[in-house]
Amino acid sequence: MSKPSSTGRPANAKFPAFILIAALLAIVLAALFYQCFESGMVLFSNDGPLGQVAAQQDLMPGILSGGWQDLNSIGSNFGSTAPNVSSFIRLFWEGLFKEPMGSLGFLNTYTPAALFILGLGAWAFFRKLKLSALAATLGALAVMLNTQLFSGACWGVASDQIAFGFDFLALALVAANDDEPAAIVFWTRIALAGLCVGMNVMEAADVGALCSVFVALYIFFKSFVESSAPVGVKIGHGIARVAVVSVFAGFIATQTVLSLISTQIQGVTTTGQNTQSETARWDFATQWSLPKQETLGIFVPGLFGYRMDTPLNTVPFLQHLYAGGVYWGGVGRAPEIDRYFDTGARDNPPSGPADIMRFGYGGYYCGILVALVAFWAVAQLFRKRNPTFTDVQKKFIWFWCVTSAVTLVLAWGRFEPSLLQFFRVFFHLPGFSYMRNPGKFLVFVEWGITVLFAYGIHGISQRYLAAEVPPNVPVKEGVEKEEDTFDQKWLYAAAGIFGVSVFGWLMYASMKPSFVQYLKYRGFGDEETAKAVASFSIAQAGWFLFLFAVALVLLAIVINGYCAGRRAKWAAAVLGLFLVFDLGRADLPFIVHWNIKQKYEVGELNPVVDFLRQQPYEHRVAQLPFSPPPGLEELGGLYGIEWSQHLFPYYDIQSLDIIQMPRPPVDLTAYEQMFLPQDPSQAFLYARWWQLTNTRYLLGPAGYLEVMNAQLDPAQHRFQIARRFNIGLKPEFQQYNGDSSELTAYSDDNGPYALFDFTGVLPRAKLYTTWQALTADELKNFSTNSLSPLDSLIFSEAGTNGFLNLKKLAAPSFDPDQTVLLDAPLPGASPTASNETNGTVAFQSYAPKHVVLSVNAVAPSVLLLNDHYDPNWHVTIDGQPAPLFKANFIMQGVLVPAGQHTVEYQFTIPDRPFYVTVSAICVGLVLCGVMICQNRPRKSPATKTARRF
């Protein structure tokens, strides 16, 4: 055996442990994501697909100085992107290749890179806890491949996994101080831990904030369990350390926090509205809760299925193994539907726009070996003699047990009625009314289980793999029986759980007919589909039993001392291979790739999208908000997924429809509510809404033309058909397999669908010589006494001026072509009598954050730009700054003098927060240098500095 060096590594070791673990993690990820290396393939991302990432509005480095989302609704400010790890990866790829190749390279490496960072962070933490090399290695694999974390990264929120990696790194820095370094090194590590926590917030936003609280709790707890000082001193030490971490976290996350406040908290519609009942707030905040029965999914992979479309677009040669693997649980189900089922009813559940049956992706499996070893680690807490863990380690094991149990209850959310009282308190705390989704707490459950697993592997390796014979064989008679039988009893207990699981599986399989009926009224009406889903779930439970048996046998062999000494490395290899196989098998359904040419119709773009991408900044497009006639439902799915979420952003087509906006601005909410008809007599409000928002093109059944002209625009009949089309399979497909990306549009003069042209819309930019502002009498005479409930809600969101202007805009007698409404009179300017010769406007150039118009005004005029007003837009006229104001309640207006002018709009966000964050990154680099220079072995105890906190 090699003689250990002063670093704890064998003197003849060829590679540092860091390089070896990095290589191992990279090899595992490369095997799982091998399709990323294939030409023309792109990794799936729900929250940031290729179309979105490659869109002009999202390109680097522009979004570092602020982002303007111009592709949905009437535009919105999504803040500035932080200079974090995710941004660095994007900058690398987008700087290396032209679009869309830069975005393609980013997407194909981002998810594996995030998981790699996560695994390395976990390994660093376990090593700094002084766990064995095997424990750190298997622990890193268990964290990286944990299905909750892995599926989240594959779903499109890989930034969360980078955040968790930095959380582990923060914990590693705190744990490294157990070696009692010099004071400067001690506090440097605490400060760096704070910067890691701040980077976690920069990556994961609200999830990162929750993780920050968790890390702070760990640091405070650590101050108690590792010190013999009086309680008051321990509290002071804990507060000091948490304070330093908080200061440095806030320092580096300054830009992110300010951006979140300005775009996600101030002026947005949230769960904290006084107009909502407590029940409505509870439903909204907790819709994405974990049903209690689905807790079994933590231990049984695939029991509730995987993705909503499994096995579509998964690893090709394994797709048949996951047939029927669609998610059938209840995560994301509308509370109204659950309340309906609770009454005992089965048929015709609520089916409104918000009444979804499920929206989960079933990924929260921790691994059967992980669960068993974590169970073994917890059991060691009750060993009375010859303990496996030190007293301090036992306290930390209790910490992880308690946090996992508490956060599991929180993850149940609305399925745990006792949490309603907690909700009443929690959501009245400052800032917490903006949070939702109790399922986010599930990550802490998995976090705790994986840490317990690492402790367990450490205990097993120290107890059964480090010597030729089991190290706990006692000397005295009488003790031998007690000590030798403790882990044997644990094996019997685990075998008993296995026996109960077998019985449960037999019962589950025998109930298949009733299970099929259950599925049929829970969203799987087709008999064959329900049977396939039921069969898959039962088969996955059977797979669980097989893996359970193998894991139990492996642990029995190790615990009985058959793998001690020279055989230890083989035991380690077998345990590692089993862990990767078990978790990898559960992770594969979440790895989805798309063929770029097929998905984005590269080279064969359908005629409808091809038409809409011509000068897309001059018009918006929307889907008709009416239910289609029977047999014409295909367009809804094709538009709602493939076109609006993928093709439109890929080709920079601007749509009025909102793809994702969990916290819409209050003014936008009021605006949309005003133009939402409450009865058929108000159908004209749809046309008025499209007119005001420059929504010229609409998609829907061609047969609706006459009805639209008769009911929506009865006076002028300005709706006409631009082109008709049909929907069919793309040329490369022979049959439809249920994937909307297999469909496309074909020109057909007699086709059932149409692209409607609403010729009555306002231009994107228009000059007005006639404008109106509210008079003092109008404001004085306004009363809220006779407002309808809807008007009262709009008034609470828009205020007096805004409400009165919205009522004018919605009035049938108002003509938006002739007059623009302002919030207040313009000083030094008066409107003229008519708009018959109000000048011309033309686009010189267009970019999401930079618009240049050529304006020829015959008289002083209000230039209306039909984009959402935001104070971060700045306008110049012939290079001179001009005041920007609200027009038509929510759009942008500027007063232009008579004559020929160049009007330039620029969207910029104050850059001071950006430079604060960059400064913090530089400070972090300096601190790393200080730690490297100062963290040297001390020559003698006499050189120790005064003891720090």
Side-chain angles (χ1 to χ4, degrees):
M1 183 177 293
S2 302
K3 182 180 179 179
S5 67
S6 61
T7 62
R9 185 167 57 92
N12 62 350
K14 295 181 179 180
F15 298 102
F18 174 81
I19 294 179
L20 293 175
I21 188 63
L24 175 62
L25 298 181
I27 290 171
V28 172
L29 289 171
L32 290 171
F33 291 94
Y34 76 93
Q35 282 185 282
C36 290
F37 300 101
E38 297 180 3
S39 177
M41 302 298 290
V42 63
L43 190 63
F44 163 88
S45 175
N46 180 78
D47 288 22
L50 179 61
Q52 186 74 32
V53 175
Q56 192 177 10
Q57 66 177 15
D58 284 304
L59 293 181
M60 284 284 186
I63 56 176
L64 289 173
S65 59
W68 182 257
Q69 206 274 77
D70 69 333
L71 296 182
N72 293 141
S73 186
I74 54 175
S76 62
N77 172 5
F78 62 82
S80 55
T81 299
N84 51 22
V85 176
S86 298
S87 298
F88 174 79
I89 298 173
R90 284 198 65 181
L91 278 170
F92 172 80
W93 284 104
E94 293 181 9
L96 196 62
F97 298 101
K98 294 182 178 180
E99 289 305 315
M101 293 305 297
S103 297
L104 173 62
F106 166 71
L107 283 176
N108 279 344
T109 57
Y110 183 43
T111 295
L115 292 169
F116 180 76
I117 293 170
L118 173 63
L120 281 183
W123 176 83
F125 175 52
F126 297 142
R127 289 303 284 162
K128 292 304 178 182
L129 287 177
K130 294 184 173 60
L131 302 185
S132 66
L134 178 61
T137 301
L138 296 187
L141 287 170
V143 170
M144 184 181 76
L145 298 179
N146 178 277
T147 309
Q148 167 75 11
L149 301 173
F150 193 96
S151 64
C154 292
W155 182 249
V157 286
S159 59
D160 286 0
Q161 279 54 52
I162 295 175
F164 300 144
F166 273 87
D167 287 325
F168 273 114
L169 187 56
L171 297 181
L173 287 163
V174 174
N177 280 332
D178 292 346
D179 293 332
E180 297 188 355
I184 188 172
V185 174
F186 183 95
W187 288 109
T188 296
R189 286 174 176 165
I190 295 295
L192 284 172
L195 294 176
C196 289
V197 171
M199 184 63 72
N200 141 76
V201 174
M202 292 164 66
E203 290 282 357
D206 57 341
V207 175
L210 289 175
C211 290
S212 301
V213 175
F214 189 79
V215 172
L217 180 63
Y218 179 88
I219 294 173
F220 193 79
F221 180 80
K222 183 177 173 62
S223 300
F224 267 77
V225 303
E226 295 183 340
S227 172
S228 57
V231 173
V233 175
K234 291 180 180 180
I235 293 175
H237 291 175
I239 292 175
R241 295 171 188 177
V242 171
V244 172
V245 168
S246 301
V247 168
F248 279 86
F251 183 21
I252 196 172
T254 297
Q255 180 192 12
T256 298
V257 172
L258 293 178
S259 179
L260 288 173
I261 291 174
S262 63
T263 62
Q264 302 296 309
I265 295 180
Q266 293 179 343
V268 301
T269 305
T270 74
T271 59
Q273 294 182 92
N274 294 328
T275 53
Q276 286 185 299
S277 68
E278 188 168 85
T279 300
R281 292 174 57 198
W282 170 250
D283 285 348
F284 176 81
T286 61
Q287 181 170 345
W288 271 261
S289 301
L290 178 71
K292 288 183 179 179
Q293 66 271 21
E294 293 192 39
T295 305
L296 286 172
I298 296 175
F299 310 104
V300 185
L303 182 64
F304 297 92
Y306 290 100
R307 288 166 45 103
M308 295 288 289
D309 56 358
T310 299
L312 193 66
N313 293 318
T314 54
V315 180
F317 64 91
L318 294 177
Q319 285 188 13
H320 66 284
L321 297 178
Y322 296 95
V326 296
Y327 177 69
W328 59 270
V331 173
R333 179 174 296 145
E336 292 81 2
I337 296 180
D338 272 326
R339 285 193 282 266
Y340 170 83
F341 286 137
D342 288 344
T343 65
R346 293 193 175 190
D347 300 321
N348 302 317
S351 58
D355 295 324
I356 59 177
M357 184 63 72
R358 57 184 57 84
F359 196 87
Y361 43 93
Y364 27 82
Y365 176 55
C366 72
I368 185 58
L369 181 65
V370 174
L372 281 174
V373 174
F375 173 37
W376 183 88
V378 174
Q380 300 306 302
L381 297 173
F382 304 95
R383 183 189 283 272
K384 295 181 180 179
R385 295 175 181 267
N386 194 14
T388 301
F389 301 110
T390 67
D391 290 340
V392 171
Q393 287 176 328
K394 287 181 180 179
K395 292 176 182 178
F396 280 111
I397 289 174
W398 276 116
F399 172 85
W400 294 104
C401 286
V402 172
T403 53
S404 293
V406 171
T407 51
L408 176 61
V409 175
L410 293 177
W412 288 339
R414 65 187 176 90
F415 297 105
E416 177 47 60
S418 63
L419 289 179
L420 181 56
Q421 186 60 41
F422 170 78
F423 161 82
R424 291 191 178 103
V425 177
F426 183 80
F427 274 74
H428 283 84
L429 296 175
F432 284 96
S433 63
Y434 301 93
M435 300 182 67
R436 60 185 306 212
N437 189 353
K440 293 174 181 177
F441 288 103
L442 195 58
V443 71
F444 301 107
V445 180
E446 303 285 358
W447 196 342
I449 292 174
T450 52
V451 173
L452 291 173
F453 166 72
Y455 272 110
I457 290 294
H458 171 74
I460 289 173
S461 62
Q462 294 295 104
R463 200 172 190 92
Y464 297 109
L465 300 178
E468 294 292 343
V469 293
N472 65 328
V473 175
V475 177
K476 296 182 180 180
E477 189 176 321
V479 178
E480 180 176 354
K481 182 177 180 182
E482 181 179 352
E483 288 301 319
D484 283 347
T485 59
F486 184 88
D487 285 343
Q488 296 299 323
K489 290 178 180 178
W490 177 86
L491 285 172
Y492 295 147
I497 296 173
F498 176 78
V500 172
S501 300
V502 171
F503 179 76
W505 177 67
L506 293 173
M507 292 290 294
Y508 188 41
S510 68
M511 297 171 62
K512 182 177 178 180
S514 58
F515 183 23
V516 170
Q517 295 305 312
Y518 169 88
L519 292 172
K520 288 178 67 176
Y521 71 82
R522 293 284 177 128
F524 299 94
D526 178 69
E527 179 85 17
E528 293 304 315
T529 301
K531 287 182 178 179
V533 172
S535 297
F536 181 83
S537 179
I538 294 170
Q540 292 304 295
W543 260 101
F544 158 75
L545 292 175
F546 170 74
L547 295 170
F548 194 163
V550 173
L552 198 55
V553 169
L554 290 175
L555 290 176
I557 291 173
V558 172
I559 288 173
N560 281 285
Y562 295 110
C563 298
R566 295 180 179 179
R567 298 174 183 172
K569 62 181 180 180
W570 297 107
V574 172
L575 290 174
L577 288 172
F578 179 82
L579 179 70
V580 171
F581 173 80
D582 179 23
L583 287 169
R585 191 188 73 88
D587 290 336
L588 281 175
F590 300 103
I591 304 174
V592 172
H593 286 83
W594 287 326
N595 181 292
I596 299 172
K597 182 178 179 181
Q598 170 196 322
K599 186 73 176 180
Y600 294 98
E601 303 188 4
V602 177
E604 298 177 355
L605 187 59
N606 73 73
V608 176
V609 176
D610 189 43
F611 176 85
L612 292 173
R613 70 167 172 160
Q614 310 303 320
Q615 285 78 47
Y617 48 84
E618 293 186 353
H619 54 75
R620 292 187 172 97
V621 61
Q623 184 181 24
L624 289 179
F626 318 126
S627 299
L632 296 180
E633 297 89 356
E634 276 185 325
L635 179 61
L638 185 63
Y639 177 88
I641 299 176
E642 298 305 320
W643 291 7
S644 62
Q645 297 185 35
H646 298 286
L647 291 182
F648 282 7
Y650 190 80
Y651 294 103
D652 290 307
I653 297 171
Q654 301 184 18
S655 170
L656 183 65
D657 298 305
I658 296 175
I659 302 304
Q660 187 177 29
M661 191 181 291
R663 299 176 182 89
V666 172
D667 57 352
L668 180 61
T669 301
Y671 188 67
E672 292 183 337
Q673 288 171 333
M674 180 58 74
F675 295 100
L676 186 64
Q678 300 301 303
D679 56 65
S681 66
Q682 295 181 328
F684 74 92
L685 289 175
Y686 281 125
R688 179 60 56 83
W689 181 36
W690 297 328
Q691 180 184 22
L692 293 170
T693 56
N694 181 234
T695 307
R696 180 170 180 175
Y697 296 108
L698 302 147
L699 288 155
Y704 279 167
L705 179 62
E706 293 184 7
V707 176
M708 291 166 63
N709 277 321
Q711 297 186 14
L712 274 62
D713 194 30
Q716 296 175 277
H717 291 75
R718 290 169 292 181
F719 290 100
Q720 60 188 32
I721 292 179
R723 62 178 58 208
R724 297 181 69 152
F725 62 95
N726 208 335
I727 295 173
L729 285 171
K730 293 177 180 177
E732 58 266 37
F733 295 101
Q734 300 300 317
Q735 63 179 16
Y736 183 53
N737 298 309
D739 183 1
S740 56
S741 68
E742 299 170 350
L743 303 175
T744 190
Y746 293 95
S747 293
D748 185 346
D749 292 340
N750 297 309
Y753 304 105
L755 177 67
F756 297 98
D757 184 356
F758 182 27
T759 60
V761 300
L762 297 180
R764 190 61 169 271
K766 180 178 173 62
L767 286 170
Y768 288 86
T769 56
T770 299
W771 60 87
Q772 291 181 7
L774 294 171
T775 65
D777 289 340
E778 287 178 303
L779 295 172
K780 180 179 178 180
N781 296 329
F782 173 71
S783 172
T784 60
N785 295 333
S786 60
L787 294 182
S788 67
L790 178 60
D791 282 348
S792 296
L793 176 61
I794 297 173
F795 173 76
S796 68
E797 295 169 333
T800 303
N801 281 32
F803 177 77
L804 291 176
N805 271 336
L806 279 174
K807 295 298 285 186
K808 282 188 177 182
L809 287 171
S813 59
F814 179 74
D815 186 357
D817 274 319
Q818 297 299 315
T819 306
V820 63
L821 300 181
L822 308 181
D823 280 1
L826 294 177
S830 300
T832 57
S834 80
N835 274 322
E836 293 181 359
T837 54
N838 52 8
T840 60
V841 183
F843 281 91
Q844 284 189 19
S845 64
Y846 179 88
K849 298 197 304 177
H850 187 200
V851 179
V852 182
L853 301 175
S854 178
V855 177
N856 184 14
V858 298
S861 306
V862 169
L863 173 59
L864 171 70
L865 181 63
N866 282 306
D867 284 343
H868 198 167
Y869 171 85
D870 188 280
N872 291 298
W873 276 103
H874 307 279
V875 62
T876 62
I877 301 176
D878 299 328
Q880 298 300 313
L884 189 70
F885 48 80
K886 285 187 176 183
N888 282 351
F889 174 71
I890 200 171
M891 304 301 184
Q892 299 180 30
V894 62
L895 182 63
V896 179
Q900 184 75 35
H901 305 284
T902 297
V903 181
E904 186 172 359
Y905 297 80
Q906 190 82 34
F907 180 80
T908 57
I909 288 178
D911 55 7
R912 285 186 179 180
F914 174 81
Y915 290 114
V916 171
T917 294
V918 171
S919 299
I921 294 173
C922 294
V923 169
L925 295 175
V926 172
L927 290 177
C928 287
V930 171
M931 187 175 66
I932 293 172
C933 294
Q934 294 292 327
N935 190 22
R936 297 173 179 174
R938 289 162 287 177
K939 294 181 180 181
S940 67
T943 62
K944 291 183 179 180
T945 59
R947 186 174 182 82
R948 73 279 125 216
F949 287 136

